[in-house]
DNA sequence: CCGCATCCACGATGATACTG
DNA sequence: CAGTATCATCGTGGATGCGG
């Protein structure tokens, strides 16, 4: 049966796409990078078209895949923070370049670009 | 209803991922780049885990999205060649960078890497 | 040889309600 | 606040057969 496990992967391009592919992974990493640290609710507000379920699920995948660090504060109300790991930090240059490529293309096609307002401290 | 159209896209990261995301797009572009031009059957042999249907479908998407150029030779038996466009060529550096990141990670995890044998002429 | 058409299974995603 | 649980649905992709 379908080995979902990445161990049997062959091509590096394939491997990389499996790790950061998916509908929201790129954007999540990018937003966290821009803010250094984000809480669950903040992320949800940044990525407006994601549901609670998908956000939770994707965050878990990224965490299990060692691309996100999750810190839970044992408080009431709860507080959970997400940060990049060293591995995902090493991925940022790529995402950024891809983003610049996207901007170039979008300008060519006159597609309005929504910049994510990084709450730069 | 669900606007599949990319026109309403907002974030450039999202835009870029939509264009080259997907299970096979990255690999297809990469293989064609490595060989400059590939025929349908050659592509299918390179990407061993793809079905005829998915290959056809993905190639169409890439073509419609201006990331592939398709040339049909009116012969019997048929012959169809696929090449990169200027737009997808401008994308290659990023794919390559992503690939290098993948290679680094795979080495860390001792995952065997299958190099695609580019039939360098 | 290079596809396209059809049918079908299943996983991915969405909507909504509920909880510690 | 940060999720979980459940149900419905939609798209992706596989299998097969046909056709120029």
């Amino acid at each position: 049966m379908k080995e979902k496990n990445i161990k049997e992967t062959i091509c590096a391009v394939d491997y990389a796409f499996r790790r950061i592919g998916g509908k929201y992974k790129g954007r999540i990493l990018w937003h966290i990078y821009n803010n250094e640290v984000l809480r669950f609710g903040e992320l949800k507000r940044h990525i407006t078209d994601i549901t609670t379920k998908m956000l939770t699920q994707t965050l878990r995948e990224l965490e299990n895949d060692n691309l996100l660090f999750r810190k839970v504060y044992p408080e009431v109300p709860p507080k959970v923070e997400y940060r990049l790991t060293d591995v995902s930090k090493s991925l940022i240059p790529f995402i950024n370049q891809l983003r610049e490529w996207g901007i170039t293309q979008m300008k060519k096609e006159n597609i309005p670009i929504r910049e994510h307002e990084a709450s730069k401290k």
Side-chain angles (χ1 to χ4, degrees), chain A:
Chain A
M1 21 236 62
K2 290 288 161 48
E3 260 305 321
K4 186 87 175 188
N5 202 316
I6 216 161
K7 293 287 180 190
E8 42 125 354
T9 305
I10 31 167
C11 168
V13 175
D14 189 24
Y15 170 89
F17 267 91
R18 290 203 206 181
R19 281 192 77 165
I20 64 148
K23 199 168 176 181
Y24 306 103
K25 285 186 180 177
R27 269 187 290 169
I28 290 177
L29 293 177
W30 182 247
H31 279 119
I32 296 180
Y33 165 73
N34 274 286
N35 294 275
E36 187 170 352
V37 54
L38 281 180
R39 297 180 58 179
F40 186 91
E42 293 174 324
L43 262 172
K44 186 137 172 27
R45 255 167 276 128
H46 275 282
I47 306 176
T48 53
D49 62 338
I50 199 171
T51 60
T52 305
K53 178 186 161 190
M54 283 314 298
L55 182 53
T56 302
Q57 182 179 311
T58 311
L59 286 171
R60 289 288 179 283
E61 285 173 20
L62 289 169
E63 190 194 357
N64 293 334
D65 205 21
N66 202 27
L67 294 177
L68 273 190
F69 177 67
R70 179 169 178 262
K71 182 169 187 180
V72 182
Y73 293 83
E75 308 173 349
V76 177
K79 175 177 171 182
V80 181
E81 288 180 348
Y82 294 91
R83 296 165 196 273
L84 298 189
T85 63
D86 289 341
V87 181
S88 49
K89 280 176 189 165
S90 72
L91 206 48
I92 292 298
F94 161 76
I95 297 183
N96 192 32
Q97 283 195 302
L98 186 61
R99 176 176 148 275
E100 282 170 9
W101 177 87
I103 291 176
T104 303
Q105 297 303 318
M106 291 171 83
K107 282 181 180 165
K108 273 194 204 166
E109 301 177 47
N110 287 323
I111 301 175
I113 300 174
R114 146 105 72 105
E115 288 292 341
H116 32 262
E117 350 61 48
S119 40
K120 47 255 316 189
K121 26 92 204 302

